[in-house]
Amino acid sequence: NVEDNLAFGLRVQRPKPSPEGLFVIAGALGVTPSQLLMVGDSTADRDAALRAGAPFVSVGHTTRAADGAHASVDHVAELSVS
């Protein structure tokens, strides 16, 4: 159920930068964290992704989250799935 997966944040005890949320969503989807793509604009987003072993795309080059990101975009609209 998509709504259940989107609401996974309610099921974690430790918020970002803990990777717990990514482990929960990966488990719910039946994949490993490395099969997820974390998109975010904060260092907490980046740190959670890297700690979980998930690739990370930083949105907005003005944030420190771009340091260590696998890719960076100015706006989420620049992302596409292929």
Side-chain angles (χ1 to χ4, degrees):
N1 181 317
V2 174
E3 289 84 15
D4 288 343
N5 289 327
L6 292 175
F8 78 93
L10 301 175
R11 294 184 262 169
V12 298
Q13 294 181 13
R14 292 178 304 279
K16 298 177 289 184
S18 165
E20 182 182 356
L22 289 166
F23 293 136
V24 170
I25 196 67
L29 294 171
V31 299
T32 65
S34 65
Q35 293 172 286
L36 299 173
L37 176 63
M38 176 73 158
V39 177
D41 64 354
S42 71
T43 55
D45 294 333
R46 179 202 59 206
D47 293 348
L50 298 179
R51 290 174 182 165
F56 175 71
V57 173
S58 172
V59 176
H61 292 287
T62 60
T63 67
R64 290 187 23 215
D67 296 336
H70 293 89
S72 295
V73 296
D74 288 319
H75 192 276
V76 72
E78 295 175 55
L79 298 173
S80 65
V81 178
S82 59

